[in-house]
């Protein structure tokens, strides 16, 4: 079974600085998709970024980028120029095709002004 | 209106009571999912449905049942609620392979 591990239960960053959230996963598949979701205090689940495993190029979305290392099964999220609104719980997730999505335990990010 | 609507938003119920959480969607997606979120455990799959006639158990289905009344509606029931079912419950929908889910806003359930 596929598992997703987020080894950092909590992280903090100074406003305007950069922070990296870690995620590793376990799979025997070669074709799959990886995601980072943000959950602010409103508890809404918001898609931050998506990576297709067959693409070597790392996905980017404005201040958010990933470091996807397929051989190492690692998928970290980098947040640049952190803002107070980035404070949230972040979940890493794995999905193969149209199967269900598997989530990590989450990392709570605090942004200090 | 939201694409995926969950009701109620919050609910407190007593041990042993039957409770239903409802989910409806306007996305036209065939696949619908129920997850529960617990601190330190992330989101875990309870049940999922690929269409009205196709219901499947997830990793933690014990103590839960579901009903897919129509393509747009997928309800989760707790037949006899117990305190360790206290959690945040999410409904989600999906269409295209490899893309993310559309989530509802969650139901926070407390069983006392």
């Amino acid at each position: 079974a596929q598992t997703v591990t987020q080894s950092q239960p909590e992280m903090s960053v100074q406003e305007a600085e950069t922070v990296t959230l870690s995620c590793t996963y376990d799979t025997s598949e070669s074709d799959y998709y990886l995601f980072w979701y943000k959950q602010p205090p409103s508890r809404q689940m918001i898609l931050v970024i998506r990576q297709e495993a067959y693409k070597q190029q790392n996905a980017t979305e404005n201040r958010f980028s990933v470091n996807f290392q397929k051989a190492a099964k690692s998928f970290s999220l980098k947040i640049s120029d952190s803002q107070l609104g980035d404070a949230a719980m972040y979940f890493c997730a794995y999905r193969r095709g149209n199967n269900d999505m598997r989530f990590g335990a989450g990392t709570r990010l605090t942004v200090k002004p | 209106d939201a694409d995926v609507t969950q009701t109620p938003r919050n609910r407190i119920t007593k041990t042993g009571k039957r409770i239903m959480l409802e989910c409806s969607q306007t996305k036209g997606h065939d696949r619908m999912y129920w997850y529960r979120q617990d601190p330190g455990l992330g989101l875990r799959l309870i049940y999922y449905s690929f269409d009205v006639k196709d219901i499947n158990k997830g990793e933690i289905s014990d103590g839960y049942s579901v009903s897919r009344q129509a393509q747009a509606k997928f309800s989760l029931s707790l037949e006899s609620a117990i305190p360790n079912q206290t959690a945040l419950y999410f409904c989600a929908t999906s269409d295209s392979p490899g893309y993310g889910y559309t989530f509802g806003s969650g139901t926070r359930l407390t069983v006392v």
Side-chain angles (χ1 to χ4, degrees):
Chain A
Q2 296 83 15
T3 59
V4 180
T5 303
Q6 293 179 249
S7 59
Q8 306 153 318
E10 297 182 349
M11 292 283 285
S12 67
V13 63
Q14 205 72 32
E15 193 176 8
E17 297 296 311
T18 296
V19 64
T20 298
L21 308 184
S22 301
C23 174
T24 59
Y25 57 94
D26 181 29
T27 185
S28 59
E29 304 294 332
S30 60
D31 191 14
Y32 49 87
Y33 302 84
L34 297 164
F35 306 84
W36 278 98
Y37 278 89
K38 171 185 178 181
Q39 186 183 48
S42 67
R43 80 194 191 200
Q44 184 66 44
M45 294 288 285
I46 301 166
L47 179 63
V48 175
I49 202 163
R50 169 181 173 272
Q51 175 77 43
E52 300 169 354
Y54 63 86
K55 288 187 176 180
Q56 292 185 336
Q57 185 174 6
N58 290 324
T60 63
E61 289 287 343
N62 301 312
R63 297 182 296 107
F64 298 86
S65 62
V66 298
N67 183 4
F68 173 49
Q69 301 291 326
K70 190 171 184 178
K73 298 179 183 176
S74 171
F75 183 61
S76 60
L77 175 69
K78 186 172 81 171
I79 306 174
S80 304
D81 185 25
S82 296
Q83 301 175 0
L84 295 178
D86 295 333
M89 181 74 81
Y90 287 82
F91 292 99
C92 178
Y94 165 101
R95 189 178 194 193
R96 182 172 67 85
N98 220 355
N99 291 336
D100 59 280
M101 196 174 292
R102 302 297 174 102
F103 292 84
T107 296
R108 183 172 299 282
L109 178 66
T110 302
V111 181
K112 298 178 180 178
Chain B
D1 288 342
D3 293 329
V4 181
T5 301
Q6 288 186 238
T7 56
R9 179 166 174 80
N10 300 290
R11 179 76 181 267
I12 300 173
T13 193
K14 293 184 177 181
T15 298
K17 293 291 188 181
R18 183 179 188 275
I19 183 168
M20 179 181 290
L21 309 183
E22 299 191 12
C23 177
S24 62
Q25 53 125 340
T26 59
K27 298 287 288 185
H29 291 169
D30 288 328
R31 294 172 183 244
M32 298 187 73
Y33 306 82
W34 276 105
Y35 284 83
R36 65 176 279 176
Q37 180 182 344
D38 298 277
L41 296 177
L43 282 76
R44 294 179 293 164
L45 183 64
I46 306 172
Y47 269 96
Y48 60 104
S49 170
F50 291 165
D51 65 37
V52 175
K53 296 181 180 180
D54 185 14
I55 304 289
N56 304 278
K57 292 183 177 180
E59 60 181 310
I60 55 164
S61 60
D62 286 350
Y64 301 94
S65 63
V66 292
S67 172
R68 185 85 183 263
Q69 302 94 323
Q71 187 207 34
K73 295 181 181 288
F74 191 37
S75 301
L76 176 72
S77 293
L78 288 68
E79 296 301 326
S80 179
I82 56 177
N84 77 358
Q85 291 177 314
T86 292
L88 180 58
Y89 290 84
F90 281 102
C91 175
T93 71
S94 171
D95 186 9
S96 301
Y99 285 84
Y101 290 165
T102 300
F103 281 92
S105 57
T107 294
R108 184 168 298 283
L109 177 67
T110 303
V111 183
V112 297

